[in-house]
Short mmCIF file of all heavy atoms in Angstrom, two decimals:
data_model
loop_
_atom_site.label_atom_id
_atom_site.label_comp_id
_atom_site.label_asym_id
_atom_site.label_seq_id
_atom_site.Cartn_x
_atom_site.Cartn_y
_atom_site.Cartn_z
N GLU A 236 -4.95 -11.50 0.22
CA GLU A 236 -3.77 -10.69 -0.09
C GLU A 236 -3.38 -9.82 1.11
O GLU A 236 -2.20 -9.61 1.38
CB GLU A 236 -4.04 -9.81 -1.32
CG GLU A 236 -4.03 -10.61 -2.62
CD GLU A 236 -4.39 -9.78 -3.84
OE1 GLU A 236 -4.82 -8.61 -3.68
OE2 GLU A 236 -4.25 -10.30 -4.95
N ALA A 237 -4.41 -9.35 1.83
CA ALA A 237 -4.13 -8.57 3.04
C ALA A 237 -3.46 -9.44 4.09
O ALA A 237 -2.52 -9.01 4.78
CB ALA A 237 -5.44 -8.00 3.59
N LEU A 238 -3.91 -10.69 4.22
CA LEU A 238 -3.29 -11.64 5.16
C LEU A 238 -1.83 -11.88 4.77
O LEU A 238 -0.95 -11.92 5.63
CB LEU A 238 -4.07 -12.96 5.16
CG LEU A 238 -3.56 -14.07 6.07
CD1 LEU A 238 -3.55 -13.64 7.53
CD2 LEU A 238 -4.39 -15.33 5.91
N SER A 239 -1.58 -11.99 3.46
CA SER A 239 -0.19 -12.15 2.97
C SER A 239 0.66 -10.96 3.41
O SER A 239 1.79 -11.12 3.85
CB SER A 239 -0.16 -12.24 1.44
OG SER A 239 -0.84 -13.38 1.00
N SER A 240 0.08 -9.75 3.27
CA SER A 240 0.81 -8.54 3.65
C SER A 240 1.19 -8.57 5.12
O SER A 240 2.31 -8.23 5.50
CB SER A 240 -0.06 -7.30 3.40
OG SER A 240 -0.27 -7.12 2.04
N LEU A 241 0.23 -8.99 5.96
CA LEU A 241 0.50 -9.03 7.40
C LEU A 241 1.51 -10.09 7.76
O LEU A 241 2.36 -9.89 8.63
CB LEU A 241 -0.81 -9.27 8.17
CG LEU A 241 -1.67 -8.02 8.40
CD1 LEU A 241 -2.93 -8.38 9.16
CD2 LEU A 241 -0.90 -6.95 9.18
N LEU A 242 1.43 -11.24 7.11
CA LEU A 242 2.41 -12.31 7.38
C LEU A 242 3.82 -11.83 7.05
O LEU A 242 4.78 -12.14 7.75
CB LEU A 242 2.06 -13.55 6.54
CG LEU A 242 1.05 -14.50 7.18
CD1 LEU A 242 0.47 -15.43 6.15
CD2 LEU A 242 1.70 -15.30 8.30
N GLU A 243 3.92 -11.08 5.95
CA GLU A 243 5.22 -10.55 5.55
C GLU A 243 5.81 -9.64 6.62
O GLU A 243 7.00 -9.64 6.87
CB GLU A 243 5.02 -9.75 4.25
CG GLU A 243 6.12 -9.96 3.23
CD GLU A 243 5.79 -9.26 1.93
OE1 GLU A 243 4.79 -9.62 1.28
OE2 GLU A 243 6.53 -8.32 1.61
N LEU A 244 4.91 -8.86 7.25
CA LEU A 244 5.36 -7.87 8.24
C LEU A 244 5.47 -8.44 9.65
O LEU A 244 6.32 -8.03 10.43
CB LEU A 244 4.38 -6.69 8.27
CG LEU A 244 4.24 -5.86 6.98
CD1 LEU A 244 3.09 -4.89 7.12
CD2 LEU A 244 5.52 -5.13 6.68
N LEU A 245 4.56 -9.35 9.98
CA LEU A 245 4.41 -9.76 11.39
C LEU A 245 4.49 -11.28 11.54
O LEU A 245 3.73 -11.88 12.29
CB LEU A 245 3.04 -9.28 11.92
CG LEU A 245 2.78 -7.78 11.85
CD1 LEU A 245 1.31 -7.49 12.05
CD2 LEU A 245 3.61 -7.02 12.88
N ILE A 246 5.42 -11.89 10.84
CA ILE A 246 5.49 -13.36 10.83
C ILE A 246 5.62 -13.95 12.23
O ILE A 246 5.08 -15.01 12.52
CB ILE A 246 6.64 -13.85 9.90
CG1 ILE A 246 6.53 -15.36 9.66
CG2 ILE A 246 8.00 -13.47 10.45
CD1 ILE A 246 7.38 -15.87 8.53
N SER A 247 6.29 -13.26 13.14
CA SER A 247 6.52 -13.80 14.48
C SER A 247 5.23 -13.88 15.31
O SER A 247 5.18 -14.56 16.33
CB SER A 247 7.55 -12.94 15.22
OG SER A 247 7.10 -11.60 15.31
N TYR A 248 4.18 -13.18 14.86
CA TYR A 248 2.91 -13.19 15.61
C TYR A 248 1.97 -14.30 15.13
O TYR A 248 0.90 -14.48 15.68
CB TYR A 248 2.21 -11.84 15.48
CG TYR A 248 2.96 -10.71 16.12
CD1 TYR A 248 3.82 -9.90 15.38
CD2 TYR A 248 2.83 -10.45 17.48
CE1 TYR A 248 4.53 -8.86 15.97
CE2 TYR A 248 3.54 -9.41 18.08
CZ TYR A 248 4.38 -8.62 17.32
OH TYR A 248 5.08 -7.59 17.91
N PHE A 249 2.35 -15.03 14.07
CA PHE A 249 1.48 -16.06 13.51
C PHE A 249 2.03 -17.45 13.82
O PHE A 249 3.23 -17.65 13.88
CB PHE A 249 1.36 -15.90 11.99
CG PHE A 249 0.49 -14.74 11.57
CD1 PHE A 249 1.03 -13.48 11.41
CD2 PHE A 249 -0.87 -14.92 11.34
CE1 PHE A 249 0.24 -12.40 11.02
CE2 PHE A 249 -1.67 -13.85 10.95
CZ PHE A 249 -1.12 -12.60 10.78
N LYS A 250 1.11 -18.41 13.96
CA LYS A 250 1.51 -19.80 14.16
C LYS A 250 1.40 -20.55 12.83
O LYS A 250 0.55 -20.24 12.00
CB LYS A 250 0.59 -20.46 15.19
CG LYS A 250 0.78 -19.89 16.59
CD LYS A 250 -0.15 -20.56 17.57
CE LYS A 250 0.06 -19.98 18.98
NZ LYS A 250 -0.91 -20.49 19.94
N VAL A 251 2.23 -21.56 12.65
CA VAL A 251 2.26 -22.30 11.40
C VAL A 251 0.94 -23.05 11.16
O VAL A 251 0.58 -23.37 10.02
CB VAL A 251 3.47 -23.27 11.38
CG1 VAL A 251 3.22 -24.48 12.29
CG2 VAL A 251 3.80 -23.71 9.96
N GLU A 252 0.17 -23.29 12.24
CA GLU A 252 -1.10 -24.02 12.12
C GLU A 252 -2.10 -23.33 11.20
O GLU A 252 -3.06 -23.95 10.73
CB GLU A 252 -1.76 -24.20 13.51
CG GLU A 252 -1.10 -25.27 14.37
CD GLU A 252 0.21 -24.79 14.98
OE1 GLU A 252 0.45 -23.56 15.02
OE2 GLU A 252 1.01 -25.64 15.40
N ILE A 253 -1.89 -22.06 10.93
CA ILE A 253 -2.78 -21.34 10.02
C ILE A 253 -2.80 -22.02 8.64
O ILE A 253 -3.80 -22.01 7.92
CB ILE A 253 -2.37 -19.85 9.91
CG1 ILE A 253 -3.51 -19.02 9.34
CG2 ILE A 253 -1.12 -19.66 9.10
CD1 ILE A 253 -3.23 -17.51 9.36
N GLY A 254 -1.66 -22.69 8.29
CA GLY A 254 -1.56 -23.40 7.02
C GLY A 254 -2.54 -24.55 6.93
O GLY A 254 -3.13 -24.81 5.87
N ARG A 255 -2.77 -25.24 8.08
CA ARG A 255 -3.72 -26.35 8.10
C ARG A 255 -5.14 -25.85 7.81
O ARG A 255 -5.87 -26.42 7.01
CB ARG A 255 -3.65 -27.01 9.50
CG ARG A 255 -4.74 -27.95 9.90
CD ARG A 255 -4.98 -29.13 9.00
NE ARG A 255 -3.75 -29.74 8.54
CZ ARG A 255 -3.54 -30.16 7.31
NH1 ARG A 255 -4.48 -30.04 6.40
NH2 ARG A 255 -2.40 -30.70 6.95
N LYS A 256 -5.49 -24.73 8.42
CA LYS A 256 -6.81 -24.12 8.21
C LYS A 256 -6.99 -23.73 6.74
O LYS A 256 -8.04 -23.96 6.13
CB LYS A 256 -6.91 -22.88 9.10
CG LYS A 256 -8.29 -22.29 9.22
CD LYS A 256 -9.07 -23.02 10.28
CE LYS A 256 -10.36 -22.32 10.62
NZ LYS A 256 -11.26 -23.20 11.37
N LEU A 257 -5.95 -23.16 6.16
CA LEU A 257 -6.01 -22.70 4.77
C LEU A 257 -6.17 -23.88 3.81
O LEU A 257 -6.92 -23.80 2.83
CB LEU A 257 -4.75 -21.90 4.42
CG LEU A 257 -4.66 -20.50 5.04
CD1 LEU A 257 -3.26 -19.93 4.88
CD2 LEU A 257 -5.69 -19.55 4.41
N LEU A 258 -5.47 -24.99 4.09
CA LEU A 258 -5.60 -26.17 3.21
C LEU A 258 -7.01 -26.76 3.29
O LEU A 258 -7.56 -27.20 2.28
CB LEU A 258 -4.56 -27.23 3.59
CG LEU A 258 -3.18 -27.05 2.96
CD1 LEU A 258 -2.18 -28.03 3.56
CD2 LEU A 258 -3.24 -27.24 1.44
N ASP A 259 -7.59 -26.75 4.49
CA ASP A 259 -8.98 -27.22 4.64
C ASP A 259 -9.92 -26.36 3.82
O ASP A 259 -10.82 -26.86 3.14
CB ASP A 259 -9.41 -27.20 6.12
CG ASP A 259 -8.66 -28.24 6.95
OD1 ASP A 259 -8.05 -29.15 6.34
OD2 ASP A 259 -8.66 -28.12 8.19
N HIS A 260 -9.72 -25.03 3.89
CA HIS A 260 -10.56 -24.12 3.11
C HIS A 260 -10.38 -24.33 1.61
O HIS A 260 -11.33 -24.27 0.84
CB HIS A 260 -10.23 -22.66 3.47
CG HIS A 260 -10.73 -22.24 4.81
ND1 HIS A 260 -11.77 -22.87 5.46
CD2 HIS A 260 -10.35 -21.22 5.63
CE1 HIS A 260 -11.99 -22.27 6.61
NE2 HIS A 260 -11.14 -21.26 6.75
N LEU A 261 -9.12 -24.57 1.20
CA LEU A 261 -8.83 -24.78 -0.22
C LEU A 261 -9.63 -25.98 -0.75
O LEU A 261 -10.24 -25.91 -1.80
CB LEU A 261 -7.32 -25.00 -0.40
CG LEU A 261 -6.79 -25.08 -1.84
CD1 LEU A 261 -5.32 -24.65 -1.87
CD2 LEU A 261 -6.90 -26.47 -2.44
N MET A 262 -9.61 -27.06 0.04
CA MET A 262 -10.32 -28.27 -0.41
C MET A 262 -11.83 -28.07 -0.42
O MET A 262 -12.55 -28.69 -1.20
CB MET A 262 -9.93 -29.47 0.47
CG MET A 262 -8.47 -29.89 0.33
SD MET A 262 -7.88 -30.00 -1.39
CE MET A 262 -8.85 -31.40 -1.98
N ALA A 263 -12.32 -27.18 0.47
CA ALA A 263 -13.77 -26.88 0.47
C ALA A 263 -14.15 -26.17 -0.84
O ALA A 263 -15.26 -26.38 -1.36
CB ALA A 263 -14.13 -26.01 1.67
N TRP A 264 -13.25 -25.34 -1.36
CA TRP A 264 -13.50 -24.66 -2.64
C TRP A 264 -13.29 -25.61 -3.82
O TRP A 264 -13.95 -25.48 -4.86
CB TRP A 264 -12.54 -23.47 -2.81
CG TRP A 264 -12.95 -22.25 -2.04
CD1 TRP A 264 -12.48 -21.84 -0.83
CD2 TRP A 264 -13.93 -21.28 -2.43
NE1 TRP A 264 -13.10 -20.69 -0.44
CE2 TRP A 264 -14.00 -20.31 -1.40
CE3 TRP A 264 -14.76 -21.13 -3.54
CZ2 TRP A 264 -14.85 -19.21 -1.45
CZ3 TRP A 264 -15.60 -20.03 -3.60
CH2 TRP A 264 -15.65 -19.09 -2.57
N ALA A 265 -12.36 -26.55 -3.65
CA ALA A 265 -11.92 -27.38 -4.80
C ALA A 265 -12.56 -28.76 -4.80
O ALA A 265 -11.87 -29.76 -4.92
CB ALA A 265 -10.40 -27.47 -4.78
N GLN A 266 -13.86 -28.82 -4.64
CA GLN A 266 -14.57 -30.11 -4.73
C GLN A 266 -14.60 -30.57 -6.20
O GLN A 266 -14.74 -29.73 -7.10
CB GLN A 266 -15.99 -29.97 -4.20
CG GLN A 266 -16.07 -29.75 -2.68
CD GLN A 266 -15.48 -30.92 -1.90
OE1 GLN A 266 -15.89 -32.06 -2.09
NE2 GLN A 266 -14.51 -30.63 -1.04
N PRO A 267 -14.48 -31.90 -6.47
CA PRO A 267 -14.42 -32.38 -7.86
C PRO A 267 -15.53 -31.84 -8.78
O PRO A 267 -15.22 -31.40 -9.90
CB PRO A 267 -14.50 -33.90 -7.70
CG PRO A 267 -13.85 -34.15 -6.37
CD PRO A 267 -14.26 -33.00 -5.51
N PRO A 268 -16.82 -31.83 -8.36
CA PRO A 268 -17.85 -31.31 -9.29
C PRO A 268 -17.58 -29.84 -9.69
O PRO A 268 -17.77 -29.47 -10.84
CB PRO A 268 -19.15 -31.41 -8.48
CG PRO A 268 -18.88 -32.44 -7.43
CD PRO A 268 -17.42 -32.30 -7.10
N ALA A 269 -17.14 -29.03 -8.70
CA ALA A 269 -16.86 -27.61 -8.98
C ALA A 269 -15.69 -27.50 -9.97
O ALA A 269 -15.74 -26.70 -10.92
CB ALA A 269 -16.54 -26.87 -7.69
N LEU A 270 -14.64 -28.31 -9.75
CA LEU A 270 -13.47 -28.25 -10.62
C LEU A 270 -13.80 -28.70 -12.05
O LEU A 270 -13.28 -28.15 -13.02
CB LEU A 270 -12.33 -29.10 -10.06
CG LEU A 270 -11.72 -28.63 -8.72
CD1 LEU A 270 -10.65 -29.60 -8.26
CD2 LEU A 270 -11.14 -27.22 -8.82
N GLN A 271 -14.67 -29.69 -12.16
CA GLN A 271 -15.04 -30.18 -13.50
C GLN A 271 -15.79 -29.10 -14.29
O GLN A 271 -15.62 -28.98 -15.51
CB GLN A 271 -15.88 -31.45 -13.38
CG GLN A 271 -15.00 -32.68 -13.11
CD GLN A 271 -15.74 -33.80 -12.40
OE1 GLN A 271 -16.96 -33.87 -12.48
NE2 GLN A 271 -15.00 -34.67 -11.72
N LYS A 272 -16.60 -28.32 -13.60
CA LYS A 272 -17.30 -27.20 -14.27
C LYS A 272 -16.31 -26.13 -14.71
O LYS A 272 -16.41 -25.56 -15.79
CB LYS A 272 -18.32 -26.55 -13.31
CG LYS A 272 -19.63 -27.29 -13.23
CD LYS A 272 -20.59 -26.50 -12.34
CE LYS A 272 -21.86 -27.31 -12.07
NZ LYS A 272 -22.73 -26.62 -11.08
N ILE A 273 -15.34 -25.86 -13.82
CA ILE A 273 -14.36 -24.81 -14.11
C ILE A 273 -13.42 -25.22 -15.24
O ILE A 273 -12.92 -24.38 -15.98
CB ILE A 273 -13.53 -24.49 -12.83
CG1 ILE A 273 -14.44 -23.89 -11.75
CG2 ILE A 273 -12.39 -23.52 -13.12
CD1 ILE A 273 -13.80 -23.84 -10.37
N ALA A 274 -13.19 -26.54 -15.42
CA ALA A 274 -12.21 -27.05 -16.38
C ALA A 274 -12.43 -26.53 -17.79
O ALA A 274 -11.47 -26.37 -18.55
CB ALA A 274 -12.21 -28.58 -16.37
N VAL A 275 -13.68 -26.26 -18.17
CA VAL A 275 -13.97 -25.82 -19.54
C VAL A 275 -13.92 -24.30 -19.67
O VAL A 275 -14.23 -23.75 -20.71
CB VAL A 275 -15.35 -26.35 -20.01
CG1 VAL A 275 -15.34 -27.85 -20.09
CG2 VAL A 275 -16.47 -25.87 -19.07
N GLN A 276 -13.56 -23.60 -18.57
CA GLN A 276 -13.54 -22.13 -18.58
C GLN A 276 -12.11 -21.60 -18.63
O GLN A 276 -11.15 -22.36 -18.53
CB GLN A 276 -14.24 -21.60 -17.32
CG GLN A 276 -15.70 -22.02 -17.20
CD GLN A 276 -16.27 -21.64 -15.84
OE1 GLN A 276 -15.72 -20.81 -15.13
NE2 GLN A 276 -17.39 -22.27 -15.47
N ASP A 277 -12.02 -20.28 -18.77
CA ASP A 277 -10.72 -19.61 -18.70
C ASP A 277 -10.32 -19.54 -17.22
O ASP A 277 -10.95 -18.84 -16.43
CB ASP A 277 -10.85 -18.20 -19.30
CG ASP A 277 -9.62 -17.33 -19.03
OD1 ASP A 277 -8.55 -17.92 -18.80
OD2 ASP A 277 -9.75 -16.09 -19.04
N LEU A 278 -9.27 -20.26 -16.84
CA LEU A 278 -8.90 -20.36 -15.42
C LEU A 278 -8.48 -19.03 -14.82
O LEU A 278 -8.83 -18.72 -13.68
CB LEU A 278 -7.75 -21.37 -15.23
CG LEU A 278 -8.02 -22.85 -15.55
CD1 LEU A 278 -6.91 -23.70 -14.96
CD2 LEU A 278 -9.36 -23.31 -15.04
N GLU A 279 -7.73 -18.25 -15.58
CA GLU A 279 -7.14 -17.01 -15.04
C GLU A 279 -8.19 -16.09 -14.43
O GLU A 279 -7.95 -15.43 -13.43
CB GLU A 279 -6.38 -16.24 -16.14
CG GLU A 279 -5.24 -17.03 -16.78
CD GLU A 279 -4.02 -17.15 -15.90
OE1 GLU A 279 -3.89 -16.37 -14.95
OE2 GLU A 279 -3.19 -18.04 -16.17
N ASN A 280 -9.39 -16.04 -15.06
CA ASN A 280 -10.41 -15.08 -14.62
C ASN A 280 -11.52 -15.72 -13.80
O ASN A 280 -12.54 -15.07 -13.52
CB ASN A 280 -11.02 -14.37 -15.85
CG ASN A 280 -9.98 -13.58 -16.60
OD1 ASN A 280 -9.26 -12.79 -15.99
ND2 ASN A 280 -9.88 -13.79 -17.90
N ASN A 281 -11.34 -16.98 -13.40
CA ASN A 281 -12.38 -17.65 -12.62
C ASN A 281 -12.24 -17.29 -11.13
O ASN A 281 -11.15 -17.44 -10.55
CB ASN A 281 -12.26 -19.16 -12.80
CG ASN A 281 -13.35 -19.89 -12.05
OD1 ASN A 281 -13.22 -20.16 -10.87
ND2 ASN A 281 -14.42 -20.20 -12.74
#
Side-chain angles (χ1 to χ4, degrees):
E236 285 176 351
L238 179 60
S239 297
S240 293
L241 278 179
L242 274 163
E243 221 174 296
L244 297 172
L245 302 165
I246 192 166
S247 58
Y248 294 95
F249 285 89
K250 292 180 180 174
V251 75
E252 284 77 18
I253 197 173
R255 166 57 42 222
K256 192 84 170 165
L257 287 168
L258 275 172
D259 292 344
H260 287 338
L261 187 154
M262 294 314 293
W264 281 98
Q266 290 299 305
L270 294 178
Q271 281 155 23
K272 278 185 188 174
I273 295 167
V275 295
Q276 299 172 18
D277 169 23
L278 294 195
E279 301 285 342
N280 298 310
N281 182 276

